[in-house]
Amino acid sequence: MFAHERHREILNLLRKQRRMDVQSLTQELGISPATLRRDLSHLDRTDQVLRVHGGVMIPDRKPGEASLRQKAASATKAKRRIAERVTAEIPNGATVFIDGGTTCLEAGLLLRQRADLTIITNSLPLIASYERFEAKLIVLGGEHRVVSGALVGALAIDALFQLRADIALIGASGLHATDGACTTELLETAIKREWIHRAKQAFLLADASKWQQNASIRFADWNEFAGFFTDKAPPVPFKNKRLKITIL
């Protein structure tokens, strides 16, 4: 069997089973563990599967939705400029919620160096750098959503009811001129909406590519944000003239 045929078979099996261990895959395919490791390495590098402890699974993103790795490699300079600009707005001693997603992650990596801050987050990639935090870190538990790196679900919701923030940094999967900020997952919607309401101010962080993204679930109107940080002027006018837009 050629490599591309094995890859197709692996993906077909995972679509049926959702998650499989390595031993089951080698038995189903009739190949050696070494061959399977090479196949899984290729599929993991190309974001077609997610390798987990003892096995492999299909990532939980929607059809056509980019993986976290792909998003991190997209518009990197714009995301860093947005992060640098918004972090300059954070006052001394603030409590800041940092949402999942790659633009908010860039902001979190800058803010973690400030010992005067308290940072609350459900971003697993940001939590993974906990040893480098000077800021006080509060972590929301929950179910890991692979495509955004966010912890979501009932555990995360229950934890945030005990917390408030001065500022919430919120990411979006898509932007709509009249509807506002959108995402692709209901579980993330609940977290975003709660923090917009539980923070004194909510800032939306999104690069200009989000105007072209197909994200069908609206989580906030434009008037729910105190500010919108982006890298280019919006392609269409806003009805809400009170929204402060910071363009890098």
Side-chain angles (χ1 to χ4, degrees), residues 47-123:
D47 294 308
Q48 297 178 75
V49 302
L50 175 70
R51 300 182 78 170
V52 294
H53 181 68
V56 64
M57 63 185 291
I58 293 284
D60 66 346
R61 60 181 180 272
K62 307 298 181 185
E65 186 178 7
S67 69
L68 184 65
R69 185 182 301 168
Q70 291 168 330
K71 291 177 181 179
S74 172
T76 53
K77 291 183 180 179
K79 291 172 182 177
R80 285 169 188 157
R81 290 199 305 270
I82 292 168
E84 289 168 358
R85 182 64 183 81
V86 74
T87 54
E89 298 284 324
I90 307 299
N92 290 338
T95 296
V96 185
F97 169 72
I98 300 176
D99 195 12
T102 52
T103 307
C104 290
L105 174 61
E106 291 288 344
L109 293 175
L110 295 175
L111 291 175
R112 69 182 180 180
Q113 302 170 19
R114 289 182 49 179
D116 61 294
L117 300 179
T118 297
I119 291 176
I120 306 169
T121 190
N122 66 330
S123 169

Side-chain angles (χ1 to χ4, degrees), residues 1-10 35 39 42-43:
M1 188 184 298
F2 293 108
H4 70 275
E5 294 175 313
R6 294 196 307 271
H7 298 166
R8 184 171 63 245
E9 285 299 315
I10 291 169
T35 299
D39 289 340
H42 169 79
L43 293 171

Side-chain angles (χ1 to χ4, degrees), residues 97-235:
F97 169 72
I98 300 176
D99 195 12
T102 52
T103 307
C104 290
L105 174 61
E106 291 288 344
L109 293 175
L110 295 175
L111 291 175
R112 69 182 180 180
Q113 302 170 19
R114 289 182 49 179
D116 61 294
L117 300 179
T118 297
I119 291 176
I120 306 169
T121 190
N122 66 330
S123 169
L124 198 57
L126 182 57
I127 296 164
S129 67
Y130 71 94
E131 292 182 337
R132 300 183 181 181
F133 266 71
E134 297 293 331
K136 180 180 179 181
L137 176 62
I138 299 175
V139 175
L140 300 182
E143 176 186 347
H144 178 214
R145 186 170 186 245
V146 176
V147 73
S148 66
L151 296 171
V152 297
L155 286 174
I157 293 290
D158 289 346
L160 70 82
F161 285 143
Q162 305 174 57
L163 302 166
R164 290 196 178 273
D166 298 302
I167 296 170
L169 303 184
I170 305 294
S173 300
L175 304 173
H176 191 278
T178 54
D179 289 347
C182 306
T183 186
T184 58
E185 174 57 54
L186 282 170
L187 289 173
E188 290 201 36
T189 299
I191 300 287
K192 292 174 187 291
R193 287 200 60 79
E194 281 294 335
W195 276 110
I196 289 170
H197 293 192
R198 298 185 75 79
K200 294 177 182 177
Q201 290 184 304
F203 295 151
L204 176 65
L205 281 55
D207 66 84
S209 70
K210 299 301 171 62
W211 292 100
Q212 285 79 45
Q213 300 301 315
N214 181 23
S216 58
I217 305 171
R218 181 179 66 84
F219 66 84
D221 293 325
W222 290 111
N223 60 11
E224 296 183 77
F225 295 105
F228 171 30
F229 292 78
T230 188
D231 58 315
K232 294 180 182 177

